[in-house]
Amino acid sequence: MFESRNGVLHVEELSVIDLVERFGTPLYVTSYAKLKENIEAYKKAFNWARVLYAVKANNNLAIMKVIAKENFGADVFSQGELYLSLLAGFDKKFILFNGNSKSEEEIKAGIESGVKFSVDSVDELYTISEIASEMGEEVEIAFRVNPDIDPKTHPKIATGLKKSKFGIPAEQVVETYRLALELPNVVPIGIHCHIGSQITEISPFVEAVNKIFDLAERVEELGIDLKFVDVGGGLGIDYEGKGVPTPEDLANALKPVYEERKSRLDSNPELWLEPGRSLVGNTTILLTRVNAVKRAYKNFVAVDAGFNLLIRPAMYGAYHKIAVANKMDWEEEEVYTVVGPICESGDVLGEDRKLPRVEKGDIIAVFDAGAYGFVMSSQYNGRPRCAEVLVKGSEAYVIREKESFGDLIAKQKIPEFLL
Ligand code: LLP
Protein backbone atom coordinates (compact mmCIF):
# COMPACT_ATOMS: atom_id res chain seq x y z
CA MET A 1 0.00 0.00 0.00
CA PHE A 2 3.07 2.23 0.34
CA GLU A 3 5.01 1.65 -2.85
CA SER A 4 7.40 3.49 -5.04
CA ARG A 5 6.30 4.07 -8.62
CA ASN A 6 8.61 5.90 -11.00
CA GLY A 7 10.63 6.99 -8.03
CA VAL A 8 7.68 8.51 -6.19
CA LEU A 9 6.11 7.06 -3.07
CA HIS A 10 2.44 6.19 -3.53
CA VAL A 11 -0.23 5.54 -0.95
CA GLU A 12 -2.45 3.02 -2.70
CA GLU A 13 -3.12 4.68 -6.08
CA LEU A 14 -2.10 8.21 -5.13
CA SER A 15 1.29 9.78 -5.42
CA VAL A 16 2.44 11.67 -2.37
CA ILE A 17 3.37 14.57 -4.62
CA ASP A 18 -0.28 14.90 -5.64
CA LEU A 19 -1.35 14.51 -2.03
CA VAL A 20 0.85 17.31 -0.73
CA GLU A 21 -0.14 19.54 -3.65
CA ARG A 22 -3.77 19.06 -2.72
CA PHE A 23 -3.56 19.09 1.05
CA GLY A 24 -0.24 20.76 1.90
CA THR A 25 2.36 19.70 4.42
CA PRO A 26 2.77 18.46 7.03
CA LEU A 27 0.18 15.77 6.36
CA TYR A 28 -0.78 12.50 8.01
CA VAL A 29 -1.86 9.97 5.35
CA THR A 30 -3.53 6.67 6.21
CA SER A 31 -4.06 3.76 3.83
CA TYR A 32 -7.53 2.26 4.19
CA ALA A 33 -6.38 -0.99 2.56
CA LYS A 34 -3.54 -1.37 5.05
CA LEU A 35 -5.91 -0.79 7.95
CA LYS A 36 -8.30 -3.41 6.57
CA GLU A 37 -5.42 -5.83 6.12
CA ASN A 38 -4.41 -5.42 9.77
CA ILE A 39 -8.01 -5.84 10.91
CA GLU A 40 -8.36 -9.00 8.82
CA ALA A 41 -5.13 -10.39 10.28
CA TYR A 42 -6.54 -10.02 13.80
CA LYS A 43 -9.96 -11.36 12.86
CA LYS A 44 -8.46 -14.44 11.26
CA ALA A 45 -5.89 -15.14 13.96
CA PHE A 46 -8.19 -14.46 16.91
CA ASN A 47 -11.56 -15.78 15.75
CA TRP A 48 -11.55 -17.75 19.04
CA ALA A 49 -11.06 -14.62 21.15
CA ARG A 50 -12.39 -11.06 21.40
CA VAL A 51 -10.41 -8.09 20.22
CA LEU A 52 -10.87 -4.65 21.78
CA TYR A 53 -9.18 -1.81 19.93
CA ALA A 54 -7.03 0.36 22.23
CA VAL A 55 -8.40 3.73 21.19
CA LYS A 56 -5.46 5.66 22.64
CA ALA A 57 -3.30 4.57 19.70
CA ASN A 58 -5.33 6.59 17.20
CA ASN A 59 -8.64 8.20 18.00
CA ASN A 60 -9.51 9.71 14.66
CA LEU A 61 -13.22 9.05 14.30
CA ALA A 62 -13.05 7.79 10.72
CA ILE A 63 -10.33 5.30 11.63
CA MET A 64 -12.24 4.21 14.71
CA LYS A 65 -15.33 3.71 12.56
CA VAL A 66 -13.49 1.39 10.20
CA ILE A 67 -12.53 -0.75 13.20
CA ALA A 68 -15.93 -0.51 14.94
CA LYS A 69 -17.66 -1.77 11.79
CA GLU A 70 -15.70 -5.02 12.14
CA ASN A 71 -17.29 -5.75 15.50
CA PHE A 72 -14.20 -5.05 17.54
CA GLY A 73 -14.69 -3.85 21.10
CA ALA A 74 -12.87 -0.81 22.49
CA ASP A 75 -10.44 -0.24 25.32
CA VAL A 76 -10.93 3.34 26.50
CA PHE A 77 -8.83 5.19 29.03
CA SER A 78 -10.83 8.37 29.59
CA GLN A 79 -14.29 9.82 29.29
CA GLY A 80 -13.18 11.44 26.04
CA GLU A 81 -12.19 8.09 24.55
CA LEU A 82 -15.48 6.65 25.79
CA TYR A 83 -17.35 9.47 24.06
CA LEU A 84 -15.45 8.88 20.83
CA SER A 85 -15.96 5.10 20.96
CA LEU A 86 -19.71 5.39 21.37
CA LEU A 87 -19.79 7.91 18.55
CA ALA A 88 -17.76 5.60 16.33
CA GLY A 89 -20.29 2.85 16.93
CA PHE A 90 -18.46 0.40 19.22
CA ASP A 91 -20.85 -1.91 21.08
CA LYS A 92 -21.00 -0.85 24.73
CA LYS A 93 -21.05 -4.52 25.79
CA PHE A 94 -17.45 -4.70 24.63
CA ILE A 95 -16.19 -1.33 25.77
CA LEU A 96 -13.87 -1.64 28.73
CA PHE A 97 -13.28 1.56 30.67
CA ASN A 98 -9.66 1.37 31.79
CA GLY A 99 -7.66 3.90 33.75
CA ASN A 100 -5.72 4.25 36.97
CA SER A 101 -7.17 7.61 37.97
CA LYS A 102 -10.79 7.94 36.97
CA SER A 103 -12.69 10.93 38.28
CA GLU A 104 -16.18 10.65 39.75
CA GLU A 105 -17.48 12.39 36.65
CA GLU A 106 -15.82 9.80 34.43
CA ILE A 107 -17.16 6.93 36.50
CA LYS A 108 -20.66 8.35 36.32
CA ALA A 109 -20.41 8.74 32.56
CA GLY A 110 -19.17 5.17 32.20
CA ILE A 111 -22.03 3.82 34.30
CA GLU A 112 -24.57 5.87 32.34
CA SER A 113 -23.18 4.43 29.10
CA GLY A 114 -23.47 0.89 30.43
CA VAL A 115 -19.86 -0.09 29.77
CA LYS A 116 -17.67 -2.41 31.80
CA PHE A 117 -14.91 -1.13 34.06
CA SER A 118 -11.39 -2.27 34.67
CA VAL A 119 -10.77 -1.16 38.25
CA ASP A 120 -7.24 -0.17 39.18
CA SER A 121 -7.42 0.37 42.96
CA VAL A 122 -9.46 -0.30 46.07
CA ASP A 123 -10.31 3.39 46.30
CA GLU A 124 -11.75 3.26 42.80
CA LEU A 125 -13.75 0.14 43.72
CA TYR A 126 -15.41 2.01 46.59
CA THR A 127 -16.12 5.04 44.39
CA ILE A 128 -17.73 2.92 41.69
CA SER A 129 -19.80 1.01 44.23
CA GLU A 130 -21.02 4.24 45.86
CA ILE A 131 -21.86 6.01 42.60
CA ALA A 132 -23.52 2.91 41.13
CA SER A 133 -25.62 2.52 44.28
CA GLU A 134 -26.75 6.16 44.12
CA MET A 135 -27.66 5.67 40.47
CA GLY A 136 -29.36 2.34 41.12
CA GLU A 137 -27.21 0.59 38.51
CA GLU A 138 -25.20 -2.62 38.62
CA VAL A 139 -21.72 -2.35 37.16
CA GLU A 140 -19.73 -5.23 35.71
CA ILE A 141 -16.09 -4.96 36.60
CA ALA A 142 -12.70 -6.56 36.19
CA PHE A 143 -9.63 -5.71 38.20
CA ARG A 144 -6.47 -4.61 36.48
CA VAL A 145 -3.81 -6.76 38.06
CA ASN A 146 -0.11 -6.07 38.09
CA PRO A 147 1.47 -9.38 37.09
CA ASP A 148 5.07 -8.22 37.61
CA ILE A 149 6.32 -9.26 34.18
CA ASP A 150 9.18 -7.75 32.23
CA PRO A 151 7.90 -7.14 28.69
CA LYS A 152 11.44 -6.33 27.47
CA THR A 153 10.54 -3.01 25.94
CA HIS A 154 11.30 0.69 26.52
CA PRO A 155 10.97 1.46 30.28
CA LYS A 156 8.45 4.26 29.64
CA ILE A 157 6.03 1.82 28.04
CA ALA A 158 6.51 -1.17 30.36
CA THR A 159 3.35 -1.22 32.44
CA GLY A 160 3.22 -4.60 34.17
CA LEU A 161 6.33 -4.38 36.32
CA LYS A 162 5.98 -4.34 40.09
CA LYS A 163 7.21 -0.73 40.21
CA SER A 164 4.66 0.45 37.63
CA LYS A 165 1.73 2.61 38.71
CA PHE A 166 -0.81 0.29 37.09
CA GLY A 167 -2.84 -2.51 38.56
CA ILE A 168 -3.47 -4.27 41.85
CA PRO A 169 -0.36 -6.09 43.14
CA ALA A 170 -0.72 -9.81 42.51
CA GLU A 171 -0.64 -10.66 46.21
CA GLN A 172 -3.61 -8.34 46.93
CA VAL A 173 -5.79 -9.52 44.06
CA VAL A 174 -7.80 -12.22 45.82
CA GLU A 175 -8.69 -10.06 48.80
CA THR A 176 -9.72 -7.25 46.45
CA TYR A 177 -12.15 -9.55 44.63
CA ARG A 178 -13.45 -10.69 48.01
CA LEU A 179 -14.08 -7.07 48.93
CA ALA A 180 -15.89 -6.50 45.63
CA LEU A 181 -18.26 -9.34 46.48
CA GLU A 182 -19.16 -7.58 49.71
CA LEU A 183 -19.85 -4.19 48.15
CA PRO A 184 -23.17 -3.29 46.56
CA ASN A 185 -23.79 -2.71 42.85
CA VAL A 186 -20.45 -4.00 41.58
CA VAL A 187 -20.28 -7.42 39.95
CA PRO A 188 -16.83 -8.85 39.28
CA ILE A 189 -16.88 -10.79 36.01
CA GLY A 190 -13.39 -10.37 34.59
CA ILE A 191 -9.69 -10.09 35.23
CA HIS A 192 -7.36 -7.81 33.32
CA CYS A 193 -3.70 -7.06 32.81
CA HIS A 194 -1.54 -5.21 30.31
CA ILE A 195 2.19 -5.66 30.46
CA GLY A 196 3.48 -3.02 28.07
CA SER A 197 3.73 -1.81 24.53
CA GLN A 198 5.94 -2.40 21.47
CA ILE A 199 6.66 -5.92 22.69
CA THR A 200 8.55 -7.91 20.07
CA GLU A 201 8.80 -11.25 21.81
CA ILE A 202 5.99 -13.70 22.39
CA SER A 203 7.22 -15.17 25.68
CA PRO A 204 6.13 -12.25 27.95
CA PHE A 205 2.57 -12.66 26.64
CA VAL A 206 2.57 -16.39 27.41
CA GLU A 207 3.92 -15.64 30.86
CA ALA A 208 1.16 -13.05 31.37
CA VAL A 209 -1.57 -15.48 30.34
CA ASN A 210 -0.23 -18.07 32.75
CA LYS A 211 0.06 -15.60 35.61
CA ILE A 212 -3.40 -14.19 35.08
CA PHE A 213 -4.92 -17.67 34.94
CA ASP A 214 -3.11 -18.57 38.18
CA LEU A 215 -4.95 -15.65 39.73
CA ALA A 216 -8.19 -16.54 37.93
CA GLU A 217 -8.14 -19.96 39.59
CA ARG A 218 -7.92 -18.38 43.02
CA VAL A 219 -10.51 -15.72 42.23
CA GLU A 220 -12.92 -18.39 41.04
CA GLU A 221 -12.67 -20.14 44.39
CA LEU A 222 -14.51 -17.15 45.83
CA GLY A 223 -17.50 -18.21 43.74
CA ILE A 224 -16.95 -15.70 40.95
CA ASP A 225 -18.03 -16.70 37.46
CA LEU A 226 -15.39 -15.23 35.17
CA LYS A 227 -16.71 -14.10 31.79
CA PHE A 228 -13.45 -12.75 30.44
CA VAL A 229 -9.73 -12.79 30.94
CA ASP A 230 -8.21 -9.74 29.29
CA VAL A 231 -4.49 -9.91 28.57
CA GLY A 232 -4.16 -6.36 27.24
CA GLY A 233 -2.39 -5.12 24.15
CA GLY A 234 1.23 -4.56 23.38
CA LEU A 235 2.20 -6.47 20.25
CA GLY A 236 4.97 -4.50 18.55
CA ILE A 237 5.33 -3.45 14.94
CA ASP A 238 8.31 -3.59 12.65
CA TYR A 239 9.66 -0.04 12.86
CA GLU A 240 13.18 -1.10 11.99
CA GLY A 241 12.52 -3.76 9.36
CA LYS A 242 13.99 -6.50 11.52
CA GLY A 243 10.90 -8.71 11.59
CA VAL A 244 8.49 -8.98 14.53
CA PRO A 245 5.85 -11.54 15.52
CA THR A 246 2.50 -11.19 13.76
CA PRO A 247 -0.98 -11.45 15.30
CA GLU A 248 -1.01 -14.98 13.90
CA ASP A 249 2.21 -15.86 15.74
CA LEU A 250 0.72 -14.42 18.92
CA ALA A 251 -2.52 -16.35 18.45
CA ASN A 252 -0.70 -19.61 17.77
CA ALA A 253 1.25 -19.21 20.99
CA LEU A 254 -1.67 -18.10 23.16
CA LYS A 255 -4.46 -20.41 22.01
CA PRO A 256 -3.12 -23.68 23.46
CA VAL A 257 -2.15 -21.99 26.73
CA TYR A 258 -5.57 -20.35 27.00
CA GLU A 259 -7.38 -23.61 26.29
CA GLU A 260 -5.36 -25.64 28.69
CA ARG A 261 -5.66 -23.04 31.46
CA LYS A 262 -9.38 -22.52 30.83
CA SER A 263 -10.00 -26.26 31.15
CA ARG A 264 -8.82 -26.05 34.75
CA LEU A 265 -11.57 -23.53 35.57
CA ASP A 266 -15.27 -24.04 36.21
CA SER A 267 -16.10 -20.81 34.41
CA ASN A 268 -15.71 -20.41 30.70
CA PRO A 269 -14.09 -17.00 30.20
CA GLU A 270 -13.49 -15.50 26.78
CA LEU A 271 -9.96 -14.33 26.09
CA TRP A 272 -9.86 -10.59 25.42
CA LEU A 273 -7.01 -8.62 23.89
CA GLU A 274 -6.48 -4.89 23.51
CA PRO A 275 -4.17 -4.17 20.58
CA GLY A 276 -3.63 -0.59 19.52
CA ARG A 277 -0.35 -0.10 17.75
CA SER A 278 -0.42 -3.35 15.77
CA LEU A 279 -3.79 -2.40 14.24
CA VAL A 280 -2.99 1.14 13.19
CA GLY A 281 0.76 1.80 13.47
CA ASN A 282 1.89 0.85 9.98
CA THR A 283 -1.20 2.24 8.22
CA THR A 284 -0.01 5.83 8.23
CA ILE A 285 2.83 8.04 7.09
CA LEU A 286 3.66 11.59 8.01
CA LEU A 287 4.63 13.70 5.01
CA THR A 288 6.76 16.72 5.67
CA ARG A 289 8.51 19.22 3.41
CA VAL A 290 12.19 20.17 3.52
CA ASN A 291 12.54 23.86 4.33
CA ALA A 292 16.32 23.87 4.46
CA VAL A 293 19.37 21.65 4.23
CA LYS A 294 22.28 22.82 6.32
CA ARG A 295 25.78 21.44 6.17
CA ALA A 296 27.17 22.14 9.63
CA TYR A 297 28.49 19.95 12.43
CA LYS A 298 26.21 17.43 10.80
CA ASN A 299 24.09 17.52 7.68
CA PHE A 300 20.76 18.75 8.98
CA VAL A 301 17.54 18.42 7.02
CA ALA A 302 15.03 20.86 8.50
CA VAL A 303 11.45 19.84 7.79
CA ASP A 304 8.06 21.33 8.66
CA ALA A 305 6.97 18.60 11.11
CA GLY A 306 8.60 18.13 14.48
CA PHE A 307 7.79 16.68 17.84
CA ASN A 308 4.69 18.85 17.84
CA LEU A 309 3.28 16.29 15.37
CA LEU A 310 5.27 13.12 16.10
CA ILE A 311 6.74 12.99 19.57
CA ARG A 312 7.85 9.35 19.64
CA PRO A 313 11.47 9.90 18.54
CA ALA A 314 11.95 12.75 21.03
CA MET A 315 10.08 11.06 23.86
CA TYR A 316 11.18 7.44 23.62
CA GLY A 317 14.16 7.65 21.29
CA ALA A 318 11.89 5.73 18.93
CA TYR A 319 13.06 4.84 15.43
CA HIS A 320 10.79 5.63 12.49
CA LYS A 321 11.88 4.79 8.97
CA ILE A 322 12.43 7.89 6.85
CA ALA A 323 12.56 8.22 3.06
CA VAL A 324 12.78 11.00 0.53
CA ALA A 325 9.37 10.40 -0.99
CA ASN A 326 10.07 12.06 -4.33
CA LYS A 327 13.44 10.29 -4.78
CA MET A 328 12.59 6.70 -3.93
CA ASP A 329 14.84 5.23 -6.62
CA TRP A 330 17.81 7.51 -6.04
CA GLU A 331 20.89 6.08 -4.51
CA GLU A 332 21.36 6.73 -0.78
CA GLU A 333 24.59 8.62 -0.63
CA GLU A 334 24.71 10.96 2.34
CA VAL A 335 24.02 10.85 6.06
CA TYR A 336 21.51 13.36 7.40
CA THR A 337 19.84 14.17 10.66
CA VAL A 338 16.23 15.08 10.07
CA VAL A 339 15.03 17.78 12.44
CA GLY A 340 11.75 19.61 12.96
CA PRO A 341 10.91 23.31 13.29
CA ILE A 342 10.51 23.35 17.07
CA CYS A 343 12.74 25.54 19.20
CA GLU A 344 14.39 22.65 21.05
CA SER A 345 17.49 20.63 20.26
CA GLY A 346 15.58 17.43 21.02
CA ASP A 347 13.33 18.04 18.04
CA VAL A 348 14.81 15.26 15.93
CA LEU A 349 12.78 12.87 13.79
CA GLY A 350 15.68 10.72 12.67
CA GLU A 351 19.35 10.79 13.48
CA ASP A 352 22.17 9.96 11.07
CA ARG A 353 20.04 8.52 8.29
CA LYS A 354 21.52 7.50 4.98
CA LEU A 355 19.36 9.16 2.33
CA PRO A 356 19.59 10.26 -1.28
CA ARG A 357 20.90 13.79 -1.71
CA VAL A 358 18.29 15.98 -0.01
CA GLU A 359 17.35 19.41 -1.31
CA LYS A 360 15.05 22.20 -0.25
CA GLY A 361 11.49 21.39 -1.35
CA ASP A 362 11.87 17.60 -1.17
CA ILE A 363 9.13 15.62 0.56
CA ILE A 364 10.18 13.41 3.45
CA ALA A 365 7.99 10.48 4.49
CA VAL A 366 8.13 9.27 8.08
CA PHE A 367 6.72 5.76 8.25
CA ASP A 368 4.68 3.86 10.84
CA ALA A 369 3.16 7.01 12.29
CA GLY A 370 -0.38 5.67 12.72
CA ALA A 371 -0.09 4.75 16.39
CA TYR A 372 0.68 7.35 19.06
CA GLY A 373 1.34 9.85 16.28
CA PHE A 374 -1.33 12.48 15.74
CA VAL A 375 -3.01 11.60 19.06
CA MET A 376 0.08 12.78 20.92
CA SER A 377 0.44 15.98 18.91
CA SER A 378 0.34 19.49 20.34
CA GLN A 379 0.27 23.11 19.25
CA TYR A 380 3.62 23.81 20.88
CA ASN A 381 5.48 26.78 19.43
CA GLY A 382 2.21 28.17 18.06
CA ARG A 383 1.85 25.54 15.37
CA PRO A 384 -1.69 24.56 14.42
CA ARG A 385 -2.00 20.80 13.94
CA CYS A 386 -1.88 19.46 10.39
CA ALA A 387 -4.57 17.64 8.40
CA GLU A 388 -5.18 13.91 8.29
CA VAL A 389 -6.19 12.17 5.07
CA LEU A 390 -7.52 8.68 4.44
CA VAL A 391 -6.65 7.16 1.06
CA LYS A 392 -8.87 4.44 -0.38
CA GLY A 393 -7.76 3.35 -3.85
CA SER A 394 -7.52 6.53 -5.89
CA GLU A 395 -9.68 8.61 -3.55
CA ALA A 396 -8.39 10.79 -0.73
CA TYR A 397 -10.70 11.85 2.07
CA VAL A 398 -9.87 14.54 4.59
CA ILE A 399 -10.57 12.94 7.97
CA ARG A 400 -9.36 15.91 9.95
CA GLU A 401 -8.95 19.43 8.68
CA LYS A 402 -5.79 21.34 9.23
CA GLU A 403 -6.13 23.63 12.21
CA SER A 404 -6.10 27.40 11.74
CA PHE A 405 -4.44 30.13 13.77
CA GLY A 406 -7.87 30.71 15.25
CA ASP A 407 -7.61 27.23 16.75
CA LEU A 408 -4.59 28.39 18.71
CA ILE A 409 -6.82 30.74 20.69
CA ALA A 410 -10.09 28.82 20.39
CA LYS A 411 -10.60 28.40 24.14
CA GLN A 412 -8.59 31.35 25.36
CA LYS A 413 -10.06 34.40 27.03
CA ILE A 414 -8.70 37.85 27.69
CA PRO A 415 -9.54 39.22 31.14
CA GLU A 416 -11.50 42.44 30.96
CA PHE A 417 -8.70 44.57 32.41
CA LEU A 418 -6.56 43.74 29.38
CA LEU A 419 -9.14 44.77 26.82
N1 LLP B 1 -4.35 -1.71 26.90
C1 LLP B 1 -3.85 -0.90 27.85
C2 LLP B 1 -4.40 -0.98 29.20
C3 LLP B 1 -2.82 0.00 27.54
O1 LLP B 1 -2.33 0.78 28.49
C4 LLP B 1 -2.32 0.07 26.22
C5 LLP B 1 -1.25 1.00 25.87
C6 LLP B 1 -2.88 -0.79 25.25
C7 LLP B 1 -3.89 -1.66 25.64
C8 LLP B 1 -2.44 -0.80 23.83
O2 LLP B 1 -1.12 -1.15 23.67
P1 LLP B 1 -0.52 -1.34 22.20
O3 LLP B 1 -1.17 -2.55 21.59
O4 LLP B 1 -0.81 -0.12 21.42
O5 LLP B 1 0.92 -1.52 22.44
N2 LLP B 1 2.81 6.26 23.51
C9 LLP B 1 3.60 5.06 23.58
C10 LLP B 1 2.77 3.83 23.85
C11 LLP B 1 1.94 3.93 25.10
C12 LLP B 1 1.08 2.72 25.32
C13 LLP B 1 0.15 2.91 26.45
N3 LLP B 1 -0.74 1.83 26.70
C14 LLP B 1 4.40 4.92 22.29
O6 LLP B 1 4.30 5.81 21.44
O7 LLP B 1 5.15 3.98 22.11
Side-chain angles (χ1 to χ4, degrees):
M1 290 69 175
F2 300 98
E3 269 176 19
S4 163
R5 290 189 204 157
N6 305 321
V8 178
L9 181 66
H10 281 61
V11 182
E12 302 195 19
E13 300 306 318
L14 296 178
S15 113
V16 299
I17 295 182
D18 293 343
L19 285 165
V20 301
E21 264 171 23
R22 277 173 68 190
F23 304 108
T25 57
L27 186 68
Y28 269 95
V29 186
T30 297
S31 159
Y32 176 79
K34 191 78 200 169
L35 179 56
K36 289 285 281 188
E37 186 182 280
N38 293 347
I39 290 169
E40 285 313 315
Y42 263 101
K43 280 174 75 170
K44 193 160 166 245
F46 284 102
N47 57 9
W48 50 276
R50 185 171 302 280
V51 184
L52 279 64
Y53 169 54
V55 169
K56 70 205 71 160
N58 187 324
N59 66 20
N60 180 285
L61 204 54
I63 288 171
M64 288 173 69
K65 259 183 185 290
V66 176
I67 301 171
K69 274 182 193 299
E70 306 281 346
N71 295 322
F72 282 51
D75 146 29
V76 304
F77 220 81
S78 67
Q79 192 177 346
E81 288 186 355
L82 171 62
Y83 165 78
L84 292 167
S85 299
L86 293 168
L87 214 56
F90 286 97
D91 180 348
K92 66 175 188 202
K93 284 205 294 295
F94 304 112
I95 295 180
L96 185 66
F97 197 160
N98 279 309
N100 67 304
S101 182
K102 303 182 190 80
S103 68
E104 289 185 6
E105 184 195 332
E106 288 183 303
I107 289 172
K108 209 161 165 236
I111 297 175
E112 266 162 14
S113 312
V115 301
K116 297 178 176 43
F117 281 76
S118 170
V119 181
D120 194 272
S121 65
V122 171
D123 269 352
E124 185 191 339
L125 174 65
Y126 276 106
T127 314
I128 294 179
S129 172
E130 279 160 25
I131 296 178
S133 303
E134 279 165 25
M135 293 170 70
E137 300 284 347
E138 284 220 320
V139 183
E140 293 181 321
I141 62 164
F143 284 101
R144 165 94 176 245
V145 307
N146 183 325
D148 192 19
I149 287 174
D150 183 359
K152 304 182 184 111
T153 183
H154 191 282
K156 280 192 185 159
I157 51 178
T159 49
L161 288 166
K162 201 176 237 155
K163 61 183 184 195
S164 144
K165 71 172 180 174
F166 298 105
I168 312 261
E171 62 278 9
Q172 295 170 21
V173 166
V174 175
E175 65 189 88
T176 311
Y177 275 90
R178 188 175 292 126
L179 177 62
L181 288 176
E182 287 166 12
L183 295 182
N185 299 59
V186 282
V187 188
I189 62 158
I191 184 161
H192 175 218
C193 75
H194 169 78
I195 56 174
S197 197
Q198 187 52 22
I199 301 168
T200 54
E201 287 176 41
I202 295 286
S203 58
F205 290 106
V206 174
E207 198 185 335
V209 172
N210 275 315
K211 281 213 174 164
I212 202 167
F213 269 95
D214 287 346
L215 290 167
E217 283 176 21
R218 296 175 50 211
V219 164
E220 204 186 48
E221 284 168 12
L222 302 172
I224 291 171
D225 184 18
L226 287 170
K227 304 271 194 255
F228 67 88
V229 170
D230 182 342
V231 294
L235 185 63
I237 63 168
D238 199 5
Y239 289 108
E240 297 181 45
K242 289 182 180 161
V244 295
T246 62
E248 192 185 352
D249 296 332
L250 182 62
N252 289 342
L254 294 193
K255 194 171 182 206
V257 184
Y258 161 65
E259 285 188 336
E260 195 277 317
R261 296 301 312 242
K262 190 173 68 159
S263 70
R264 298 194 215 166
L265 296 176
D266 291 327
S267 9
N268 187 21
E270 287 183 355
L271 188 86
W272 287 16
L273 303 153
E274 302 170 342
R277 188 190 317 264
S278 47
L279 275 165
V280 292
N282 65 2
T283 64
T284 302
I285 56 174
L286 172 59
L287 295 175
T288 176
R289 189 182 295 274
V290 177
N291 283 328
V293 178
K294 181 161 58 186
R295 294 176 194 283
Y297 167 68
K298 282 183 170 189
N299 293 332
F300 290 108
V301 172
V303 297
D304 60 5
F307 75 57
N308 53 321
L309 291 176
L310 183 66
I311 204 169
R312 303 196 66 259
M315 188 148 172
Y316 315 107
Y319 180 94
H320 283 258
K321 237 180 298 157
I322 284 176
V324 184
N326 52 314
K327 296 179 175 169
M328 296 297 285
D329 54 4
W330 288 34
E331 209 180 312
E332 294 176 344
E333 52 182 49
E334 277 191 273
V335 173
Y336 297 95
T337 289
V338 180
V339 298
I342 298 299
C343 181
E344 294 203 26
S345 304
D347 185 26
V348 176
L349 291 175
E351 198 143 11
D352 297 333
R353 301 299 178 87
K354 200 153 188 220
L355 297 171
R357 189 180 170 77
V358 184
E359 292 154 299
K360 187 162 93 173
D362 282 341
I363 301 299
I364 299 282
V366 185
F367 288 86
D368 303 316
Y372 310 107
F374 192 96
V375 272
M376 294 180 78
S377 65
S378 73
Q379 295 175 330
Y380 184 42
N381 267 194
R383 294 189 172 272
R385 291 181 180 83
C386 69
E388 293 180 283
V389 163
L390 180 67
V391 172
K392 180 169 185 279
S394 48
E395 296 291 329
Y397 303 87
V398 175
I399 55 173
R400 184 190 308 260
E401 282 178 18
K402 177 176 171 350
E403 289 181 351
S404 66
F405 293 114
D407 291 315
L408 296 180
I409 52 161
K411 294 286 181 189
Q412 298 195 37
K413 287 202 159 142
I414 309 290
E416 204 135 288
F417 76 91
L418 288 176
L419 292 175

